[in-house]
């Protein structure tokens, strides 16, 4: 049996329940992993509220780290006793132990702690596909990144600096802006006190940026389009402020033949080999010192509702983990 966070109805943090659930043995292509820590992400909120529907009842959580306890037939990249971490479907990471598909579970280097592993996989792999798999980006390019002081944002600030990319970060307070700047953002904008569109145009000499990376959604989408240079790319990869309204595609032509995509991490990591290669690149950034994983909030598993409340209220910076 393993203590597991489950929802039986969609709703607020109050629907999160801690239940004892059987774990079982892994079948072909599966592993059983005993968790040391779990990560917290906005996708967990989307699933809890029903924005991303699940068949109920369902366990929650997409990211964790731990030790492999058992390996099913056909699994060759993991062995019993290996340290491992993952960001992976199906949801169910908020638990002491689980049986799950092995393909997206990654061997965790000894130099990386379990808490870091739980805090970095979904966010770090997201940054990897944003910078390496979505549109060509290289030294000298300019990116606007919203929510730059969050878990994904602080990794993105460091990642951009390590690759010679100029990152303009937005955040909701002067303190958060300073945090993003300390982690590598070239410029920061407090969107509560400044018009970020006007400021981006000023910072770029009126040209605009090559790419916008936006997980905020409804509140920032329209202004973000006006930050792009002609032929620029809008990457809308989340909706923390709510879903983006329907778009008249003709607007993209009017604003300079813009491009737009709505990617998800789970498409990028669906292929086992691609997932493992992305993880190795992420681990290399961390072990090489180019990216440091900042964990600013820690909650016991039985206080998961409080963790969700803090995340939704934008009271968090960096990464948040659930400790077991």
């Amino acid at each position: 049996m393993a203590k597991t966070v489950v929802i039986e109805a969609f709703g607020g943090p109050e629907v999160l329940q801690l239940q004892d659930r059987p774990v079982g043995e892994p079948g072909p292509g599966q592993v059983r992993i005993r968790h040391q820590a779990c990560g917290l992400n906005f996708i967990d909120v989307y699933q809890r509220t029903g924005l991303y529907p699940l068949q109920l009842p369902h366990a929650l959580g997409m990211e964790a780290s731990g030790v492999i306890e058992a390996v099913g037939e056909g699994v060759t990249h993991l062995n019993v006793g290996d340290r491992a971490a993952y960001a992976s479907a199906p949801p169910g990471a908020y638990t002491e132990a689980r049986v799950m598909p092995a393909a997206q579970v990654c061997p965790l280097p000894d130099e990386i702690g379990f808490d870091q592993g739980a805090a970095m996989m979904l966010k770090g792999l997201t940054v990897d596909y944003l910078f390496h798999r979505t549109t060509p980006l290289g030294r000298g390019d300019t990116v606007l990144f919203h929510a730059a002081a969050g878990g994904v944002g602080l990794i993105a600030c460091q990642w951009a600096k390590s690759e010679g990319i100029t990152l303009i970060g937005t955040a909701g307070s002067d303190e958060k802006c300073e945090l993003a700047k300390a982690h590598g953002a070239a410029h920061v904008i407090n969107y509560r006190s400044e018009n970020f569109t006007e400021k981006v145009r000023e910072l770029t000499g009126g040209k605009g940026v090559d790419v916008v990376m936006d997980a905020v959604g409804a509140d920032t989408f329209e202004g973000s389009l006006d930050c792009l240079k002609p032929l620029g790319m809008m990457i809308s990869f989340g909706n923390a402020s709510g879903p983006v309204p329907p778009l008249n595609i003709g607007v993209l032509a009017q604003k300079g033949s813009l491009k737009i995509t709505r990617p998800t991490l789970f498409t990028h990591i669906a292929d086992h080999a691609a997932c493992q290669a992305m993880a190795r690149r992420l681990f290399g950034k961390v072990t090489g010192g180019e990216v440091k994983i900042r964990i600013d909030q820690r909650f016991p598993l039985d206080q998961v509702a409080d963790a969700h409340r803090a995340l939704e209220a934008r009271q968090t910076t960096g990464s948040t983990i659930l400790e077991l």
Side-chain angles (χ1 to χ4, degrees):
M1 304 294 285
K3 293 188 183 303
T4 304
V5 176
V6 177
I7 59 168
E8 296 181 343
F10 299 120
E14 69 279 357
V15 303
L16 297 164
Q17 302 178 30
L18 192 62
Q19 300 179 359
D20 285 318
R21 283 194 155 192
V23 180
E25 296 297 325
Q30 295 182 324
V31 294
R32 186 173 73 235
I33 182 168
R34 176 71 52 180
H35 288 157
Q36 300 294 312
C38 314
L40 181 74
N41 297 281
F42 257 104
I43 190 173
D44 308 342
V45 174
Y46 304 154
Q47 291 169 344
R48 190 203 74 219
T49 61
L51 179 64
Y52 295 177
L54 300 173
Q55 186 173 351
L56 301 178
H58 211 296
L60 286 191
M62 305 297 293
E63 170 183 55
S65 66
V67 177
I68 302 299
E69 286 191 332
V71 175
E73 181 183 352
V75 177
T76 59
H77 70 292
L78 294 165
N79 297 294
V80 172
D82 283 355
R83 305 169 78 254
Y86 66 87
S88 176
Y94 291 177
T95 183
E96 294 173 324
R98 69 185 295 200
V99 169
M100 64 180 296
Q104 283 69 45
V105 181
C106 305
L108 184 66
D110 292 340
E111 302 95 315
I112 299 176
F114 286 118
D115 55 349
Q116 290 177 298
M120 70 188 281
M121 293 300 290
L122 191 145
K123 303 166 191 68
L125 293 174
T126 295
V127 172
D128 182 88
Y129 85 66
L130 289 173
F131 281 84
H132 287 277
R133 293 172 58 88
T134 307
T135 191
L137 268 173
R139 186 170 297 276
D141 287 337
T142 302
V143 167
L144 172 64
F145 199 101
H146 290 297
V152 178
L154 291 185
I155 295 173
C157 289
Q158 297 172 81
W159 200 291
K161 185 176 182 179
S162 76
E163 300 192 352
I165 295 166
T166 299
L167 185 144
I168 302 170
T170 72
S173 70
D174 290 342
E175 292 77 15
K176 287 186 175 183
C177 284
E178 286 305 309
L179 187 61
K181 194 161 189 178
H183 282 74
H187 308 282
V188 289
I189 303 168
N190 182 340
Y191 63 79
R192 296 191 190 279
S193 60
E194 294 183 282
N195 181 308
F196 73 81
T197 304
E198 293 177 359
K199 188 66 176 178
V200 166
R201 287 289 170 180
E202 177 187 324
L203 289 169
T204 59
K207 294 178 181 178
V209 298
D210 298 284
V211 177
V212 175
M213 300 177 179
D214 183 9
V216 175
D219 288 353
T220 50
F221 182 81
E222 190 170 338
S224 293
L225 292 180
D226 291 329
C227 292
L228 285 164
K229 63 175 58 171
L231 305 180
M233 168 67 85
M234 173 72 181
I235 307 175
S236 177
F237 68 101
N239 26 251
S241 67
V244 174
L247 172 70
N248 174 3
I249 197 169
V251 168
L252 302 180
Q254 297 165 15
K255 292 182 182 293
S257 301
L258 303 181
K259 296 165 281 189
I260 186 168
T261 183
R262 179 52 172 96
T264 71
L265 171 63
F266 303 104
T267 306
H268 282 279
I269 64 173
D271 176 76
H272 168 71
C275 176
Q276 299 297 321
M278 291 167 68
R280 287 192 294 271
R281 187 158 51 222
L282 171 61
F283 295 152
K285 291 280 189 184
V286 174
T287 58
E290 293 175 301
V291 170
K292 293 180 171 58
I293 306 301
R294 182 180 175 116
I295 302 170
D296 286 345
Q297 297 80 214
R298 299 170 184 263
F299 293 84
L301 187 63
D302 62 5
Q303 293 179 18
V304 62
D306 290 335
H308 274 234
R309 291 185 185 100
L311 184 64
E312 289 181 276
R314 302 190 186 184
Q315 294 172 347
T316 64
T317 54
S319 295
T320 302
I321 63 170
L322 303 173
E323 296 180 315
L324 298 168

